Amino acid sequence: MHKPPGYRILDAESLRNLIAALPLSKQLWGKPDSWTIEEVGDGNLNLVFLIRGAEGGFAAKQALPYVRLVGESWPLPLSRAHYERAALSRQAELAPGLVPAIHHYDESLALIVMELLEPHIIMRHGMIAGTVYPRFAEDITTFMAATLFDTSSLALSAEDFKSLIAVFAGNTAMCKITENLIFTEPYTEAANNRWTSPWLDGHAALIREDADLKCAVSRLKLKFMGSPEAMIHGDLHTGSVMLTIGDTRLIDPEFAFMGPMGFDVGAVIANLLLNYFSQIGHEEAAGARDDYRAWILDTVESVWSLFRCKFLQRWEGCETGDAYPAALFSDTLGKAALARERRAFLDRLFQDSLGFAAAKMIRRILGIAHNIDLECIENTEIRATAESRSLMLAHDLMVNANGYSDIKVVTAVARQINAMDPCLSGS
């Protein structure tokens, strides 16, 4: 397990001493021993500290040399903090106000000290509670359109695009986690897999036995491994969104690399759909959250439609990308052809996004790392019902993506499945 010179795992007191020696400590006011520091990391990988003084605060995130969810038996490079910082810096330039500001970075400690987001909460927790976020669709699509278009060869020169590929090319360990846990293990009898047994045993077996499904997910894995379309966040789900009713921030881009755009878009759609199906386990009485379910599916539709519109607008206003040189399309016929090509590009991206959404949904139910949207449902059979419905939609999205011509078809099928009687045998 490689550790750079000077690396040590921090606790509250060692972090207090470190912050006290930095100029930014003045922003906290008061003596260091008056600061409150608590470790609140509830993710799978890192330590997260909240540091509060009399007049301000910071969040500090330290990478551990192993997967926190598993322990030292699963080592992981500390370099992921380097890539997270690189991604946050680029995202702040492209989508200002939608990521936390970085105040300090210590390479040897794999430590990022950043803006403390308060009173923001993790979106996933808010959705479990049934909170409506009216700005989310607008903000997430602004973020995705800006970060995906502006880091692609549609906007960049060939030289700048290839330089950006080089910046993130070393983040291979994080990519390997995705390649294994999302595109491979859920379709095998991997030791890491777990699901709500015995209710989902049939579903898990059918997925392991479905050759067409395994070909479909392998095509997605191939695209993930070999299509550096843009700088993607790489883990863009509702657990990587901190927000209030009026403000949205995207966090935790340690999986960032140059990959397929649809992976980010699909991840957002997947996690909204998982929460939609989970509402059966969060409402006090049957139908009590029907209005909230409607808002979730409206948001699914808005995420795609707004993203498509904003992406097209950026492309129509940009003449710098080397992929489609402006000089080739300067006449009337050329402009018309390019307009068609842009629409066709977004159509293909939509199909990619649905496939990646399906893969994300399946892994969160059959793989090692689950979503609390479903996991916190105490009634096991109700949880299995929600998971079964999620798997039914995901399976069809994966093998029949071309049958979904529009995002409204996706939400219509989700409604149909959610109204079905539970199918817990997988047959």
Side-chain angles (χ1 to χ4, degrees):
M1 189 182 301
H2 174 71
K3 300 177 186 178
Y7 179 83
R8 64 192 188 281
I9 297 175
L10 298 171
D11 58 18
E13 290 312 304
S14 56
L15 180 62
R16 186 190 310 274
N17 294 334
L18 187 152
I19 297 295
L22 299 173
L24 58 81
S25 64
K26 297 177 181 178
Q27 299 178 43
L28 294 172
W29 292 82
K31 295 182 178 180
D33 59 7
S34 70
W35 303 341
T36 63
I37 301 179
E38 56 180 331
E39 203 281 311
V40 298
D42 61 357
N44 298 324
L45 300 179
N46 309 292
L47 296 175
V48 179
F49 297 91
L50 302 185
I51 309 151
R52 296 184 179 90
E55 296 292 336
F58 300 110
K61 179 176 179 180
Q62 185 183 36
L64 293 170
Y66 50 80
V67 176
R68 182 176 183 172
L69 176 67
V70 177
E72 295 187 13
S73 63
W74 189 339
L76 199 62
L78 297 169
S79 58
R80 64 187 188 272
H82 167 85
Y83 296 109
E84 178 169 3
R85 181 212 186 190
L88 280 171
S89 299
R90 183 63 63 101
Q91 290 164 353
E93 296 173 4
L94 301 176
L98 291 175
V99 296
I102 295 176
H103 294 293
H104 177 73
Y105 174 63
D106 190 315
E107 182 97 22
S108 65
L109 290 173
L111 176 72
I112 305 173
V113 180
M114 64 191 86
E115 179 182 2
L116 178 62
L117 299 175
E118 289 187 324
H120 301 62
I121 67 169
I122 296 293
M123 185 178 185
R124 185 168 285 155
H125 296 298
M127 292 188 72
I128 290 170
T131 304
V132 170
Y133 294 104
R135 283 206 56 83
F136 172 71
E138 186 70 42
D139 289 341
I140 193 69
T141 54
T142 294
F143 175 85
M144 291 193 300
T147 58
L148 297 178
F149 180 81
D150 288 6
T151 60
S152 75
S153 59
L154 303 176
L156 297 176
S157 68
E159 180 181 8
D160 289 343
F161 178 67
K162 291 170 184 175
S163 295
L164 194 55
I165 292 175
V167 168
F168 290 97
N171 203 14
T172 55
M174 303 306 285
C175 290
K176 187 63 175 176
I177 289 177
T178 298
E179 291 153 14
N180 287 344
L181 300 190
I182 296 180
F183 299 114
T184 305
E185 289 192 0
Y187 306 86
T188 70
E189 293 186 359
N192 286 328
N193 290 347
R194 60 187 180 89
W195 56 83
T196 307
S197 183
W199 291 272
L200 296 186
D201 289 356
H203 277 290
L206 281 177
I207 282 176
R208 291 195 304 270
E209 296 163 4
D210 190 327
D212 290 337
L213 183 70
K214 289 188 284 188
C215 284
V217 77
S218 295
R219 286 192 294 270
L220 292 167
K221 184 178 181 180
L222 178 64
K223 182 174 282 287
F224 181 86
M225 295 175 66
S227 298
E229 296 174 347
M231 184 193 76
I232 65 173
H233 179 285
D235 200 27
L236 195 59
H237 52 69
T238 50
S240 298
V241 181
M242 294 192 69
L243 75 182
T244 64
I245 299 300
D247 187 62
T248 307
R249 305 294 184 93
L250 292 311
I251 63 172
D252 294 346
E254 62 200 314
F255 284 82
F257 83 114
M258 295 294 282
M261 299 180 189
F263 190 78
D264 274 1
V265 181
V268 175
I269 291 172
N271 281 266
L272 292 172
L273 290 171
L274 287 173
N275 185 270
Y276 170 77
F277 288 113
S278 80
Q279 291 301 320
I280 189 177
H282 305 310
E283 58 189 359
E284 295 180 359
R289 289 205 180 179
D290 283 351
D291 288 346
Y292 194 67
R293 289 184 180 91
W295 174 78
I296 296 172
L297 293 188
D298 285 346
T299 301
V300 170
E301 293 176 7
S302 295
V303 164
W304 174 254
S305 60
L306 288 173
F307 169 76
R308 181 185 177 104
C309 180
K310 293 175 183 180
F311 193 97
L312 279 172
Q313 287 176 345
R314 299 185 86 88
W315 195 349
E316 290 166 353
C318 179
E319 296 186 350
T320 58
D322 273 352
Y324 289 84
L328 296 184
F329 304 98
S330 58
D331 60 8
T332 301
L333 289 177
K335 291 176 180 177
L338 183 56
R340 292 192 299 272
E341 181 66 12
R342 287 169 179 148
R343 292 193 295 271
F345 179 96
L346 267 298
D347 290 342
R348 293 192 297 271
L349 179 52
F350 178 65
Q351 298 301 315
D352 287 350
S353 299
L354 295 188
F356 286 122
K360 297 284 274 187
M361 294 170 74
I362 291 170
R363 68 76 54 108
R364 289 297 188 181
I365 297 170
L366 302 181
I368 185 175
H370 292 201
N371 278 7
I372 62 167
D373 311 56
L374 296 162
E375 199 81 340
C376 72
I377 299 174
E378 294 183 2
N379 185 304
T380 311
E381 191 162 352
I382 291 176
R383 180 171 72 245
T385 297
E387 292 172 332
S388 172
R389 291 168 176 172
S390 300
L391 288 174
M392 290 173 65
L393 177 60
H395 186 283
D396 198 55
L397 286 174
M398 180 81 76
V399 300
N400 189 36
N402 291 333
Y404 291 82
S405 58
D406 182 81
I407 191 64
K408 291 188 176 182
V409 179
V410 177
T411 55
V413 173
R415 288 188 185 92
Q416 292 171 5
I417 291 174
N418 201 54
M420 294 172 61
D421 290 333
C423 180
L424 300 182
S425 67
S427 59

